[in-house]
Amino acid sequence: MEDNLISGAAGHEMMQDRPLPRHIAIIMDGNGRWAIRHGLPRVLGHREGVKALKPIVKECSRLGIEVLTVYAFSTENWARPAGEVNTLMALLEEFLDSETPELKAQGVSIRTIGDIGQLPVSAQAALARSRRDTANQSKMVLNLALNYGGRDELVRAVNRWLASQPLGGVLPALDVDTLAQHLDTAGLPDPDLLIRSSGEVRLSNFLLWQMAYAEIYITDVLWPDFTPEELQKAIAVFRMRERRFGGHS
Ligand code: IPE
Ligand code: IPE
Ligand code: MG
């Protein structure tokens, strides 16, 4: 992709001035293709995908990124074979149980977005433990998108707002800030940078509202092969982008 190229010293100088993204969102895609390429079952691709996430979280925390949101399971991913869904849920629990102490030591607080109530109860319990154990950490938020869909989130947000209104009264008009305050991401800044691995050029129902002005970076690298160096490349490209937010300089 042409504008993903980092060229020459000029680009490098500009990068010094431009801030880091406060919030990075990642669509961790390509585990299945990684497995197929290695002649392995898809579930082993997911296992490698979880392994790849750990150094990325660490690197984001080291860089001073405030929020890292990762798309781990979409509202549409239930359409996959039950065995694959079960493996993904088991990997989630394994990740939470084994990584929470280290995440806590790194100052990372675990949060979720998505309709968590539909996940297996053991996964919900593991999430509750991890959230509780890391609640006081303030260096970075690791935001796990689980049973997450942008459309589902918007509908739940509107319904949450409706439920907060006094019964029998005339409903006020809903405005942008009020709706944002009822989203799962309430209180978090919008993503500045969206990274999608494995070359697909689509949002797949991820953070539809919040992506309004995100810079988008797509790489052909499959998620299990995504390293901190790949993250650095994405951030370098981000820092060379001119963000106008509809205005001009
Ligand atoms: C992403 O990898 C992980 C999840 C969706 C949970 P995929 O499983 O979608 O991998 P591909 O797209 O089939 O390669
Ligand atoms: C998006 O990837 C969801 C996650 C990475 C969790 P998918 O592989 O499910 O997306 P599509 O189906 O290719 O759009
Ligand atoms: Mg995929």
Side-chain angles (χ1 to χ4, degrees), residues 27-29 71-73 77 80 196 202 204:
I27 302 178
M28 306 185 291
D29 198 14
Y71 207 3
F73 194 86
N77 287 148
R80 297 184 178 205
R196 184 164 187 156
R202 56 176 169 264
S204 301

Side-chain angles (χ1 to χ4, degrees), residues 29-31 33 42 80 196 198 200:
D29 198 14
N31 295 348
R33 276 162 285 173
R42 286 182 66 88
R80 297 184 178 205
R196 184 164 187 156
S198 89
E200 306 297 351

Side-chain angles (χ1 to χ4, degrees), residues 3-14:
D3 74 335
N4 277 353
L5 291 175
I6 309 164
S7 56
H12 205 77
E13 264 160 42
M14 282 195 309

Side-chain angles (χ1 to χ4, degrees), residues 27-38 42 45-46 49 80 196-200 220-225:
I27 302 178
M28 306 185 291
D29 198 14
N31 295 348
R33 276 162 285 173
W34 184 93
I36 289 162
R37 268 182 215 175
H38 289 79
R42 286 182 66 88
H46 293 313
R80 297 184 178 205
R196 184 164 187 156
S197 58
S198 89
E200 306 297 351
D220 286 337
V221 172
L222 302 175
W223 178 251
D225 294 329

Side-chain angles (χ1 to χ4, degrees), residues 20-29 53 56-57 60 65-72 113 140-145 148 153 185 188-198 200 202-219 223 226 230-231 234-235 238 241 243:
L20 282 170
R22 292 180 65 193
H23 182 170
I24 298 178
I26 306 183
I27 302 178
M28 306 185 291
D29 198 14
L53 176 60
I56 300 303
V57 177
C60 284
I65 304 301
E66 290 169 49
V67 186
L68 171 65
T69 298
V70 292
Y71 207 3
I113 54 172
M140 186 177 91
V141 170
L142 173 61
N143 194 23
L144 304 172
Y148 177 86
E153 179 193 30
T185 51
L188 300 176
D190 285 341
D192 302 293
L193 170 61
L194 168 68
I195 299 172
R196 184 164 187 156
S197 58
S198 89
E200 306 297 351
R202 56 176 169 264
L203 288 178
S204 301
N205 205 7
F206 192 36
L207 297 170
L208 299 180
W209 171 281
Q210 298 88 339
M211 288 302 179
Y213 271 101
E215 295 295 328
I216 300 175
Y217 176 90
I218 313 263
T219 173
W223 178 251
F226 194 89
E230 298 296 332
L231 177 75
I235 292 174
F238 169 84
R241 299 262 181 93
R243 303 185 79 191

